[in-house]
Amino acid sequence: MSTAADVLNENWRGTHTVPSGGLYPHQWSWDSAFIAIGLRHVSPKRARLELETLLKSQWPDGRLPQIVFDLSRDNDYFPGAAFWGASTAGLIQPPNHAIAALLVHEAEPDLAFLGRVYPHLVAWHHYLLARRTGESGLAHIVHPWESGLDNSPYWDAPLAAIGETYRGELARPDLLHAAATERPSNAEYGKYLYLAERYRDHDCDDEDAEYPFRLEDPLVNALWAKSELALAQIARALGLDPAPHEHRAASITAALETLWSPELGTYTARDIVSAQLQPYRTVAGIIPLILPDIAHAADLLAALDGPHFALGRVALVPSHDLTADTFDASLYWRGPSWFNTAWLLVDGLELHGRSRDAAALAAQTIELAERCDYPEYIDPHSDAPRGTRRFSWTAALAIDLAER
Ligand code: 2M8
């Protein structure tokens, strides 16, 4: 029987792991962090190399790029290096890397590794603070791809408000590897490419005052705060001062309260351009449960248990509210359950005193990953696999849950 480790071996490219050989032939930023978390149980050495390969592509301003391209596969994914005119994409992804670095070190203590990665991780967080953080104290994203949850309903109204669309030729090699009913539409791709092109043509400098897509997302900021807590532990291990990281984590955690929606009973995203909170429940709005001091932990647990996310009554945790008109059980980040958010919520449940439910969610995550051949995502009602198969973070996080 093929194992999760076989999937990681298949997708290993000598210095890093691709998310999947067909659909995603390059190195993705937050995928690599999740992958390293599983890889540490297979080969701590490879896990360290996975992270350090990504860090090698860090920009001088500190950002970690969304994608590091394999130039030999540039025709197999769009937009690639030819579009960006560079070997990395200018956008970012959610900051889960310090969490991964700490866990990799815990699997096989290596202070030299921690010492090498720490300054890079500090520079990465500094980029978020210096270039992306406004008065609210939260970092904003400038593209749906930066959220990791590309076609979440959070982005519907902000994208609809943008009159422009991409005028170049739209390639969709992704549709060779996943059904069109399970991927974003061409209309969404038109907006994605318009924004990416505009950001690129301003040298990705974050200085375009009229830039039309700027949102504060609860998952991105919760991961940032959690990563600051991880950096505090890394600093302590290195004999450095953890306090600045602890203070930053506390201030992001406090600032997340500005994204709380009493009507929804979850956190949500704020559109900085329109000053609107988005009226949707998504798994991103529950993820702040990973923070020990989050104010609405009890409400988040109630949201998980209630009809919108139905913990224990559907497969894993759906990416979008089961009762919403916008819910679609097969469509990417608009309903299907994903293995990385399940992994994060296992941690959140554990942290907030729900160990039995955490264990049940972990067991379900491992079982579904194995039974469905490590799918990218699954239908929460039928358990049917969706998206691509033999997907690296699904395999990696199943290994991690099984090893704990
Ligand atoms: C998906 O996003 C990429 C663009 O970054 C795509 O659809 O082409 C998302 O699920 C994202 O979170 C993930 O990092 C990436 C690679 O697995 O795929």
Side-chain angles (χ1 to χ4, degrees):
M1 199 186 105
S2 168
T3 64
D6 293 333
V7 173
L8 294 184
N9 292 339
E10 248 167 64
N11 293 342
W12 175 249
R13 295 292 177 270
T15 53
H16 66 278
T17 312
V18 296
S20 73
L23 185 54
Y24 306 116
H26 309 296
Q27 182 177 27
W28 259 260
S29 171
W30 82 321
D31 293 62
S32 271
F34 285 128
I35 291 164
I37 289 167
L39 211 43
R40 70 192 173 126
H41 304 290
V42 177
S43 160
K45 189 173 165 203
R46 256 166 72 193
R48 290 189 289 268
L49 185 54
E50 179 84 38
L51 290 174
E52 293 197 75
T53 299
L54 179 71
L55 295 176
K56 268 198 192 142
S57 291
Q58 183 164 38
W59 285 31
D61 65 8
R63 87 182 73 193
L64 289 181
Q66 173 205 7
I67 307 172
V68 182
F69 297 114
D70 172 351
L71 300 178
S72 72
R73 300 287 308 273
D74 209 37
N75 290 329
D76 300 333
Y77 180 83
F78 182 75
F83 171 90
W84 285 102
S87 58
T88 60
L91 300 167
I92 60 168
Q93 280 202 308
N96 58 344
H97 311 84
I99 301 168
L102 179 63
L103 291 174
V104 166
H105 168 73
E106 283 175 5
E108 184 178 87
D110 184 338
L111 284 175
F113 163 74
L114 279 192
R116 286 194 304 273
V117 298
Y118 178 75
H120 290 280
L121 295 168
V122 169
W124 164 220
H125 289 198
H126 181 74
Y127 168 78
L128 295 174
L129 184 65
R131 307 293 289 273
R132 297 298 189 92
T133 302
E135 272 172 26
S136 68
L138 297 172
H140 68 264
I141 56 170
V142 299
H143 197 290
W145 288 331
E146 294 199 324
S147 72
L149 279 59
D150 305 358
N151 71 342
S152 163
Y154 282 171
W155 325 129
D156 289 0
L159 290 180
I162 300 171
E164 306 285 340
T165 189
Y166 184 61
R167 292 175 200 286
E169 198 186 327
L170 205 58
R172 295 294 306 268
D174 58 317
L175 299 182
L176 297 171
H177 306 285
T181 51
E182 299 169 16
R183 292 283 304 169
S185 66
N186 277 350
E188 283 164 322
Y189 258 81
K191 297 288 171 85
Y192 297 163
L193 268 296
Y194 167 75
L195 287 172
E197 183 182 47
R198 178 168 173 157
Y199 191 65
R200 177 198 71 191
D201 292 347
H202 276 83
D203 299 326
C204 308
D205 65 3
D206 300 308
E207 300 289 329
D208 176 0
E210 302 297 311
Y211 189 81
F213 188 98
R214 273 172 290 144
L215 282 103
E216 292 165 344
D217 173 73
L219 176 144
V220 167
N221 283 285
L223 282 174
W224 183 18
K226 186 86 169 179
S227 280
E228 287 289 351
L229 292 175
L231 273 190
Q233 278 184 259
I234 293 173
R236 208 171 275 119
L238 292 170
L240 301 169
D241 183 7
H245 302 301
E246 285 162 353
H247 291 149
R248 179 62 51 203
S251 77
I252 301 164
T253 304
L256 271 164
E257 289 314 300
T258 64
L259 302 185
W260 177 253
S261 164
E263 293 80 28
L264 299 172
T266 66
Y267 295 87
T268 183
R270 180 178 31 246
D271 183 347
I272 297 177
V273 178
S274 69
Q276 296 296 311
L277 286 180
Q278 301 308 298
Y280 298 103
R281 295 179 188 89
T282 82
V283 71
I286 311 275
I287 294 293
L289 199 61
I290 63 175
L291 298 173
D293 298 326
I294 194 72
H296 285 91
D299 296 303
L300 294 180
L301 292 170
L304 268 175
D305 291 334
H308 307 296
F309 295 95
L311 184 69
R313 308 190 293 287
V314 292
L316 310 182
V317 180
S319 49
H320 183 31
D321 178 353
L322 293 161
T323 71
D325 294 342
T326 35
F327 173 85
D328 180 327
S330 298
L331 184 53
Y332 206 39
W333 290 103
R334 300 177 77 89
S337 296
W338 288 71
F339 292 78
N340 61 336
T341 51
W343 182 87
L344 288 167
L345 288 170
V346 167
D347 179 44
L349 285 164
E350 186 78 51
L351 200 56
H352 294 283
R354 294 273 298 264
S355 298
R356 270 228 249 119
D357 294 308
L361 181 57
Q364 203 191 29
T365 306
I366 299 164
E367 194 275 321
L368 281 166
E370 285 173 0
R371 172 153 58 86
C372 300
D373 198 25
Y374 309 97
E376 193 178 5
Y377 38 99
I378 53 170
D379 179 323
H381 292 303
S382 71
D383 293 2
R386 299 286 182 234
T388 193
R389 307 291 188 275
R390 306 187 74 71
F391 185 66
S392 295
W393 83 37
T394 301
L397 298 174
I399 293 173
D400 186 59
L401 292 173
E403 290 291 330
R404 285 207 222 167

